[in-house]
């Protein structure tokens, strides 16, 4: 296997504590609990991690071996055919010290594998406000930055100061340099939009992110976070395996996507084991035996029915990854 040989070469050059599995079931690594197997799944940690990954990305690009960077698996559906090449699970990239703090700058830094919910708690514990809207959200910091996670009228880019990545420069539209570690400063959310970030257009791996926060009242922050978690609970986010909102909201539609789907009587509409949740039309749930194909087929049908009835074109918020050929 080309991926196996490539990893062995990288480990020889850059020794690193790393867990390697072949034909790893991706249903065990996503909130939807569906999907096929990853050809080669690695979970790096410890000494040598950064050098190993920099070497890995460089060699993989040259060998045309695809590399998929996995965060918390909270916003994806993996194909039943699985994922080709190498899947790098960043979950272990948080370390014993989940976060670092620069009190004089009111700045807090998280590694990309840090759970978002834990990050919100850590910021609150430090007396820094601004991350309360993330409380209860599944996934990791890296995935939230990549997607510009948004909730309750706020988004990651509102508080993002800089992001450290492994990436390589582009010249005339062609990648011509080896991957290297670099820090990208974020100024007033430039390059970000609704559920979009500049990292979606880059060939990169997110390593860490710094957030510019403000000193606040811990008691009030705790209340706000608990309210946000309870709101997610009440909306049914935790009742079944799912990925939160299936489709993006579009302000041009005049109402939330969930309301549009509800008004068309599509709540409860199902395909196989996938269902538009009876309690919220814009949440697709795995009722117990759904496949990735069930989920995609159901979303396609809902989008078609909405277009036929309203003319609105729904854009998936869920990402379909892996081999869908």
């Amino acid at each position: 296997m080309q991926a196996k040989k490539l990893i062995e070469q990288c480990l020889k050059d850059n020794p690193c504590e790393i867990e390697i599995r072949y034909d790893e079931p991706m249903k065990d690594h996503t909130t939807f609990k569906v999907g096929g197997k990853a050809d080669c799944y690695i979970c790096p940690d410890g000494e040598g991690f950064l050098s190993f990954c920099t070497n890995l990305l460089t060699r993989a690009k040259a060998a045309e071996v695809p590399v998929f960077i996995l965060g918390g698996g909270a916003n994806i559906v993996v194909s039943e055919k699985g994922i080709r090449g190498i899947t790098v699970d960043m979950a272990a990239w948080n370390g014993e010290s989940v976060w670092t703090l620069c009190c004089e700058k009111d700045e807090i830094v998280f590694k990309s594998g840090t759970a978002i919910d834990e990050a919100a708690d850590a910021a609150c514990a430090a007396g820094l406000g601004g991350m309360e809207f993330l409380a209860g959200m599944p996934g990791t910091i890296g995935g939230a930055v990549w997607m510009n996670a948004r909730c309750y009228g706020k988004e990651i880019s509102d508080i993002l100061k800089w992001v450290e990545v492994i990436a390589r420069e582009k010249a005339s539209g062609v990648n011509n340099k080896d991957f290297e570690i670099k820090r990208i400063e974020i100024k007033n959310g430039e390059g970000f939009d609704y559920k979009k970030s500049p990292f979606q257009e880059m060939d990169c791996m997110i390593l860490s992110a710094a957030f510019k926060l403000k000193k606040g009242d811990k008691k009030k922050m705790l209340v706000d976070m608990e309210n946000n978690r309870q709101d997610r609970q009440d909306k049914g986010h935790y009742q079944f395996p799912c990925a939160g909102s299936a489709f993006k909201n579009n302000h041009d539609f005049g109402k939330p996507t969930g309301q549009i789907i509800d008004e068309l009587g599509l709540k409860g509409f199902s395909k196989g084991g996938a269902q538009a949740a009876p309690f919220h039309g814009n949440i697709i749930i795995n009722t117990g035996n759904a496949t990735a194909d069930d989920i995609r087929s159901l979303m396609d049908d809902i989008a078609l029915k909405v277009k036929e009835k309203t003319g609105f074109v729904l854009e998936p918020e869920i990402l379909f990854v892996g081999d869908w050929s």
Side-chain angles (χ1 to χ4, degrees):
M1 182 188 295
Q2 189 177 15
K4 180 179 180 180
K5 184 177 180 180
L6 191 151
I7 291 173
E8 289 174 347
Q9 292 173 337
C10 291
L11 283 174
K12 184 178 179 180
D13 293 342
N14 304 99
C16 175
E17 295 179 15
I18 184 172
E19 182 178 0
I20 307 174
R21 303 178 196 168
Y22 298 99
D23 295 325
E24 175 70 6
M26 290 305 295
K27 63 183 178 63
D28 296 338
H29 302 285
T30 68
T31 57
F32 250 127
K33 305 300 181 186
V34 301
K37 299 177 180 180
D39 287 351
C40 182
Y41 166 95
I42 63 175
C43 191
D45 190 12
E47 295 293 327
F49 169 82
L50 297 182
S51 296
F52 169 82
C53 284
T54 303
N55 191 5
L56 175 67
L57 292 174
T58 298
R59 286 180 178 272
K61 195 71 175 181
E64 298 184 344
V65 173
V67 177
F68 175 69
I69 310 301
L70 176 68
N75 201 48
I76 64 174
V77 175
V78 178
S79 165
E80 293 298 327
K81 294 180 181 179
I83 303 178
R84 305 287 76 81
I86 300 170
T87 297
V88 182
D89 187 344
M90 297 293 287
W93 186 236
N94 48 50
E96 293 181 7
S97 177
V98 176
W99 52 274
T100 59
L101 176 66
C102 303
C103 295
E104 72 279 3
K105 299 179 181 178
D106 293 340
E107 175 184 307
I108 194 165
V109 181
F110 295 102
K111 292 181 179 178
S112 61
T114 306
I116 302 170
D117 195 46
E118 290 182 16
D121 279 338
C124 178
L128 295 177
M131 300 189 79
E132 296 91 327
F133 73 100
L134 298 170
M137 184 179 288
T140 60
I141 285 293
V145 169
W146 194 88
M147 278 295 295
N148 192 21
R150 176 184 176 86
C151 197
Y152 306 119
K154 298 178 181 179
E155 56 192 22
I156 282 284
S157 58
D158 293 337
I159 55 175
L160 196 57
K161 183 176 182 181
W162 54 256
V163 179
E164 188 174 59
V165 300
I166 299 176
R168 66 177 182 176
E169 298 290 344
K170 289 185 176 181
S172 302
V174 179
N175 283 309
N176 66 344
K177 290 185 178 181
D178 289 346
F179 284 82
E180 60 185 9
I181 298 173
K182 60 176 62 180
R183 179 175 294 185
I184 298 175
E185 300 290 334
I186 309 299
K187 298 180 180 179
N188 300 318
E190 291 180 7
F192 289 79
D193 205 341
Y194 176 70
K195 299 297 175 69
K196 292 184 182 297
S197 79
F199 305 104
Q200 295 172 16
E201 306 299 323
M202 294 173 61
D203 202 357
C204 71
M205 172 188 287
I206 296 175
L207 297 175
S208 61
F211 298 90
K212 185 69 173 178
L213 306 177
K214 296 181 180 179
K215 288 183 172 62
D217 183 333
K218 285 187 181 182
K219 290 184 178 180
K220 182 181 184 306
M221 286 188 277
L222 284 170
V223 170
D224 289 344
M225 290 195 296
E226 184 55 35
N227 287 340
N228 291 341
R229 290 180 177 123
Q230 187 60 50
D231 181 59
R232 290 178 179 277
Q233 180 75 42
D234 294 342
K235 289 178 179 177
H237 283 236
Y238 310 130
Q239 289 187 40
F240 296 89
C242 71
S245 297
F247 298 98
K248 295 180 181 180
N249 286 311
N250 187 327
H251 294 299
D252 292 339
F253 296 165
K255 61 184 71 174
T257 297
Q259 184 178 343
I260 294 171
I261 294 172
D262 293 352
E263 290 175 352
L264 293 179
L266 294 174
K267 281 197 300 187
F269 182 44
S270 64
K271 277 291 188 75
Q275 182 184 47
F279 46 82
H280 196 302
N282 197 25
I283 295 179
I284 304 298
I285 61 174
N286 176 357
T287 60
N289 62 341
T291 66
D293 294 328
D294 290 341
I295 295 167
R296 187 162 196 170
S297 178
L298 177 60
M299 288 183 62
D300 287 345
D301 281 0
I302 290 174
L304 179 60
K305 291 179 184 296
V306 169
K307 184 178 181 180
E308 289 175 344
K309 296 292 185 179
T310 67
F312 299 147
V313 178
L314 299 184
E315 182 181 356
E317 182 169 322
I318 293 170
L319 304 176
F320 294 92
V321 303
D323 181 6
W324 290 91
S325 60

